Amino acid sequence: MKPVKVGICGLGTVGSGSFNILRNNAEEITRRVGRSIVVEQVGMRRDNDACDTTGVNITRDIFDVVNNPEIDIVLELIGGTSVAKELVLTAIKNGKHVVTANKALIAEHGNEIFARAQEKGVIVAFEAAVAGGIPIIKSLREGLSANRIEWLAGIINGTGNFILTEMSEKGRDFDDVLKEAQALGYAEADPTFDVEGIDAAHKLTILASIAFGIPLQFEKTYTEGISRITSEDVAFARDLGYAIKHLGIANRTKHGIELRVHPTLISNKQLLANVNGVMNAVMVKGDAVGPTLTYGAGAGAMPTGSSVVADVIDVARTLTADPTNRVPHLAFQADALSDVNILPIEEIECGFFLNMTIQDRAGVLANITQILSKNGISIESLIQREREGSDLVPLVVMTHDVKERSMNAAIAEIEALPDVAGTVQRIRVETLA
């Protein structure tokens, strides 16, 4: 059969990794597909010394690639959402299949993109958009398709995981570790997307849609970052037998679906608690298979390129297949997506870790426990330690499960007490059972 011709838009970190894998593993890929896959054209603004593009048609206008009649599959690897969206929709309009690593594009505009792709009978593949080299989308969409997914929870941002790991293992402060993460290239000059949870929320939105068969709903995903986590929080959590991880959690309940990204205490006995550094991992619980864990590199040229090229191989295998028999973009048939209620964060129910600073005097602890009791909150454990030479001491409270709405009310009352200094640090606790 004639070769499958690929056009790459963007030859940055992911683009160069994908290009080199397609070149270096060409023989192996041909054996898997039954025909060769060749890079026909590359659209890039500047040259990349990581790739030998000798003999490849190079253009500085990425739209030349999607308008090239010779190209079968377009790789959108430029990032962002505005130009990338126009590029992808143009490729679809021209009847080309698309492979992308762009989580923001899929999370925010995927519903429209998939609808257009279905109309044209083309595929939009996006394995690399979540967790880099980990094949979690294929696992959810195909490997676990016999299951009713109950919940999933993941460490899906390597930058945040690196920061929390350093804080835990070395007792360092957030700002100090963030500077190192930027120096190492793990964090951008503006780290907001990583440390405030936006990147993870994009990824969670995609995973939840595939897991539960619901439309992509990024705007309903509760998002909270790690910038307020202190080394003291980490130390107290460790003393209690917990690690603090920045998790994306999607949970099916009888009242609706929880979509939330936030710092979370999980038991040190959990596998996720021991995923450290820049690594990613996703736990998924299906009703038939039970809990599963997928672990690996969540970013980087070659790991992410691995997922991009795997998608190219999948698309190449289906080029002659009837579009109606392909695996649906979001795992469920497009006309069978459910309009399930997405729960606001106030309605979720979990345990809480509360860290506050109080005056070391009689009656303060009693006032706090009375407020918790009045709001229906039961205490699981409590730590109070002295600070030498100070009347202010830290108090840490672990609670049993309670609705967030009740906890919000209790925290507001506690912070209003004259003997409580500053704000109450609140971190949710998950059992992942």
Side-chain angles (χ1 to χ4, degrees), residues 7-127:
I8 301 178
C9 297
L11 206 66
T13 300
V14 177
S16 62
S18 303
F19 180 93
N20 288 331
I21 292 170
L22 284 166
R23 281 291 184 86
N24 297 341
N25 296 348
E27 182 180 348
E28 194 81 357
I29 290 168
T30 299
R31 291 175 58 209
R32 292 180 185 276
V33 179
R35 61 168 120 174
S36 61
I37 296 176
V38 298
V39 178
E40 175 70 15
Q41 189 175 30
V42 173
M44 58 182 182
R45 289 181 296 178
R46 60 183 67 88
D47 295 336
N48 188 332
D49 293 339
C51 301
D52 179 6
T53 57
T54 304
V56 177
N57 179 1
I58 302 295
T59 176
R60 300 304 182 189
D61 184 351
I62 55 176
F63 283 88
D64 288 345
V65 178
V66 297
N67 290 317
N68 185 338
E70 294 296 315
I71 288 173
D72 303 299
I73 306 171
V74 171
L75 276 56
E76 182 282 300
L77 303 174
I78 64 172
T81 54
S82 55
V83 176
K85 180 184 177 184
E86 183 184 356
L87 189 78
V88 167
L89 291 178
T90 302
I92 293 170
K93 181 181 178 182
N94 291 340
K96 302 185 187 304
H97 302 281
V98 175
V99 172
T100 180
N102 194 329
K103 61 268 187 180
L105 178 69
I106 297 300
E108 296 181 30
H109 303 291
N111 294 324
E112 178 185 355
I113 288 169
F114 297 146
R116 297 277 189 91
Q118 186 174 9
E119 291 170 4
K120 293 292 292 187
V122 299
I123 298 169
V124 177
F126 50 96
E127 180 65 64

Side-chain angles (χ1 to χ4, degrees), residues 233 352-356 368 372 377 395-399 407 410-411 414 424-427:
D233 295 326
F352 288 87
F353 164 99
L354 305 177
N355 185 3
M356 63 195 86
I368 292 169
L372 293 173
I377 301 169
L395 172 68
V396 169
V397 179
M398 290 278 287
T399 78
M407 181 56 70
I411 288 175
I414 291 170
V424 175
Q425 173 74 299
R426 170 255 310 278
I427 305 175

Side-chain angles (χ1 to χ4, degrees), residues 241-243 266-274:
Y242 289 85
I266 51 175
S267 168
N268 283 325
K269 297 177 182 178
Q270 287 278 356
L271 290 171
L272 273 182
N274 298 286

